Amino acid sequence: KPFQPEKKAAPAAAEPVKEEAAEKPTAPAPVAPTETRVPFEIDENDKTVQLLRLIVKGMNIEQCDIKGEKVEETSEIIYNVSCGDADGALIGRRGETLDSIQYLLRLSLNKGVDDDKHRKVSVNVGNYREKRNENLRALAAKSARQVLKYGRNAVLDPMNPYERRIIHTAIQGIEGVTSHSVGSDGNRKVVISLAEGVQPTHPSRGG
């Protein structure tokens, strides 16, 4: 008889393990949207290519290889730049330099062109965009798990519009959470919170 309480307590000890296992499917890693990219030969006389090379040369980078791709679904033109050891200088901190180069190209290419006729041009260096997008989707999934568990809002670091859109798209695919942006200009951040009516699995003390 003295040993009977110990036998009854065994199932209770296993309950937290079952509860943790049940949480994992609530915020799966978002799946990246598929797109079809078609390589094309770069025309050195193209205005965009000439400006891109001018910018790179202005950063004291002499040797640079440029390859082109077109996204069939959106007609977006992607210029993949490779400058060897100088790739990091083109990317900059968290891609800020790369974003600036891309902005200058778009501004020059679409100057004086009606909005509905704007050409979408993107610049990539060393597959940075793909790696950054993957990291952002992983960040969205991780933050969503924390929100679902503790119920506290997750406020991410400031991001540019493109990166915020990736976060918002990823959150849309995760049940139980929602997202919105706060702040202004370059200080806009994504806030991830519980969807209406959803209760956290492990609410923290004090709310």
Side-chain angles (χ1 to χ4, degrees):
K1 292 184 179 178
F3 294 95
Q4 291 180 355
E6 296 180 3
K7 293 180 180 180
K8 293 180 179 179
E15 289 182 0
V17 177
K18 294 180 180 180
E19 189 175 359
E20 289 292 336
E23 291 178 22
K24 294 180 181 179
T26 58
V31 179
T34 59
E35 60 181 27
T36 305
R37 296 188 180 186
V38 179
F40 68 90
E41 187 174 351
I42 290 294
D43 181 5
E44 291 295 336
N45 295 320
D46 181 74
K47 177 182 177 182
T48 307
V49 176
Q50 291 180 342
L51 180 57
L52 181 55
R53 290 198 180 279
L54 183 63
I55 294 173
V56 172
K57 188 175 182 180
M59 298 175 65
N60 295 321
I61 301 174
E62 296 297 333
Q63 298 297 327
C64 184
D65 182 44
I66 302 176
K67 295 182 179 179
E69 289 182 309
K70 182 176 181 180
V71 181
E72 289 189 341
E73 290 81 0
T74 62
S75 297
E76 175 186 4
I77 301 298
I78 302 175
Y79 293 93
N80 297 301
V81 183
S82 177
C83 300
D85 295 338
D87 281 357
L90 284 178
I91 295 172
R93 179 180 175 273
R94 291 177 56 187
E96 291 178 353
T97 304
L98 182 58
D99 288 340
S100 298
I101 294 173
Q102 180 174 278
Y103 173 77
L104 287 174
L105 285 177
R106 291 180 176 179
L107 192 65
S108 175
L109 184 62
N110 295 308
K111 184 178 180 180
V113 180
D114 295 337
D115 292 344
D116 58 344
K117 296 181 180 179
H118 274 196
R119 291 173 57 190
K120 186 174 182 181
V121 174
S122 298
V123 182
N124 196 9
V125 176
N127 290 326
Y128 171 80
R129 299 290 189 193
E130 290 80 2
K131 296 175 183 177
R132 177 62 174 164
N133 293 354
E134 182 179 344
N135 290 338
L136 288 172
R137 286 188 286 266
L139 174 63
K142 180 181 178 180
S143 301
R145 285 194 293 269
Q146 296 297 313
V147 172
L148 288 167
K149 187 173 184 178
Y150 299 113
R152 296 192 297 268
N153 289 353
V155 183
L156 306 184
D157 291 335
M159 298 179 186
N160 60 45
Y162 174 78
E163 294 181 337
R164 293 199 306 272
R165 186 162 58 250
I166 292 176
I167 295 291
H168 289 311
T169 301
I171 293 300
Q172 288 176 3
I174 301 176
E175 186 177 357
V177 290
T178 184
S179 64
H180 64 279
S181 296
V182 296
S184 59
D185 300 329
N187 197 41
R188 285 187 68 77
K189 308 174 183 179
V190 174
V191 179
I192 303 172
S193 55
L194 285 175
E196 185 176 357
V198 176
Q199 296 298 321
T201 58
H202 290 72
S204 59
R205 294 181 179 179

